């Protein structure tokens, strides 16, 4: 049986005391998330930057337990598109996830299986509720790190295939020094 416990998060770095980093995603690993393939190649010729990293505090994979995670998305663009997470549905589709902004600013974009799309601004103190059956991705539209904390059912699981294959309906791009959402020309086209 799990016993009550507490954790210490550094809101400035996203680090969780005594928990190692569990994820580090470099551009080369998530290159297909970005629309502009030539821009990806241009960046990769010089370096392979870390786009985001995460510290996950995982409970056993059991119904009734929650897991949580801090994710740090580094600032920057590839072509006109801002840095982002891969994005996923949950394997257990009835799972909800909450996101709390800790530092920086960005967007949580979400897309339902039925083809609805929405975007919500996230910044320190903003809590976003992602209900069941919505794929979600976090995008850093600011000039500093975007740090968010996510909390989800331990048995939710990540289901990446559909987003990897079809993408999100909209891209988050830099336009006149601010963000804009534009139609994704590759949406629904096999990659
Ligand atoms: C959040 C949570 C994690 C997820 C991470 C990165 O912190 O949803 O479960 O792993 O973001 O998102 P992704 O796995 O889609 O790249
Ligand atoms: Zn999730």
């Amino acid at each position: 049986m799990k016993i009550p416990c507490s954790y210490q998060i550094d809101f400035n770095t996203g680090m969780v005391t005594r928990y190692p980093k569990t994820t580090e995603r470099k551009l080369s690993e998530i290159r297909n998330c970005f629309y502009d393939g030539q821009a990806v190649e241009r960046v990769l010729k010089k370096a392979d930057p870390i786009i985001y990293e995460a510290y996950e505090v995982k409970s056993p994979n059991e119904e009734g337990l929650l897991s949580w995670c801090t994710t740090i998305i580094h600032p920057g663009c590839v072509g006109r598109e801002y840095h982002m997470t891969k994005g996923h549905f949950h394997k257990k589709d009835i799972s909800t996830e909450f996101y709390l902004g800790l530092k920086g600013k960005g967007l949580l974009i979400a897309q339902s299986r039925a083809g609805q799309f929405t975007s919500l601004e996230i910044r320190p103190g903003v809590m976003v509720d992602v209900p069941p059956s919505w794929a979600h991705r976090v995008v850093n539209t600011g000039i500093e790190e975007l740090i968010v904390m996510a909390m989800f059912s331990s048995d939710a699981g990540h289901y990446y295939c559909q987003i990897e294959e079809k993408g999100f309906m909209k891209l988050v791009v830099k336009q006149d020094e601010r963000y804009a959402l534009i139609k994704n020309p590759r949406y629904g086209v096999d990659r």
Side-chain angles (χ1 to χ4, degrees):
M1 191 167 107
K2 244 192 123 188
I3 56 169
C5 51
S6 65
Y7 308 94
Q8 180 72 53
I9 308 173
D10 182 337
F11 283 16
N12 224 17
T13 61
M15 287 169 76
V16 183
T17 306
R18 290 194 304 280
Y19 280 79
K21 196 193 294 176
T22 50
T23 307
E24 192 176 270
R25 297 240 199 254
K26 293 188 170 175
L27 177 59
S28 57
E29 299 166 66
I30 61 160
R31 58 196 305 154
N32 285 340
C33 291
F34 294 94
Y35 171 71
D36 185 345
Q38 288 180 348
V40 170
E41 294 309 322
R42 277 199 302 275
V43 177
L44 288 178
K45 263 193 194 148
K46 293 188 216 140
D48 190 3
I50 296 170
I51 305 297
Y52 65 95
E53 35 202 323
Y55 295 82
E56 192 175 22
V57 181
K58 189 91 185 79
S59 294
N61 202 343
E62 287 170 24
E63 195 174 294
L65 297 181
L66 295 174
S67 290
W68 62 277
C69 182
T70 57
T71 304
I72 301 102
I73 303 132
H74 297 286
C77 286
V78 176
R80 291 174 61 207
E81 252 183 305
Y82 289 103
H83 287 180
M84 62 183 111
T85 59
K86 274 176 81 167
H88 58 269
F89 284 95
H90 290 141
K91 279 189 184 148
K92 191 171 176 181
D93 208 29
I94 58 162
S95 308
T96 288
E97 182 160 351
F98 275 86
Y99 278 82
L100 175 66
L102 302 181
K103 186 183 178 185
K105 64 174 186 174
L107 280 186
L108 186 141
I109 61 171
Q111 181 169 300
S112 73
R113 292 192 190 277
Q116 296 154 276
F117 178 93
T118 190
S119 71
L120 294 155
E121 292 196 352
I122 192 160
R123 56 184 179 279
V126 172
M127 178 83 104
V128 178
D129 176 352
V130 184
S133 303
W134 286 80
H136 39 286
R137 163 180 280 168
V138 184
V139 185
N140 186 347
T141 58
I143 54 170
E144 60 176 343
E145 273 79 30
L146 170 63
I147 306 182
V148 296
M149 191 200 77
M151 194 168 281
F152 45 94
S153 308
S154 292
D155 59 353
H158 294 80
Y159 176 66
Y160 291 107
C161 285
Q162 195 170 327
I163 293 299
E164 272 168 3
E165 281 165 19
K166 296 180 69 177
F168 279 80
M169 294 156 88
K170 293 193 179 171
L171 307 178
V172 187
V173 298
K174 191 172 186 178
Q175 197 168 285
D176 302 328
E177 294 311 308
R178 56 157 302 153
Y179 78 81
L181 287 154
I182 61 168
K183 191 170 174 291
N184 179 3
R186 260 164 56 186
Y187 177 68
V189 177
D190 288 341
R191 293 165 181 210

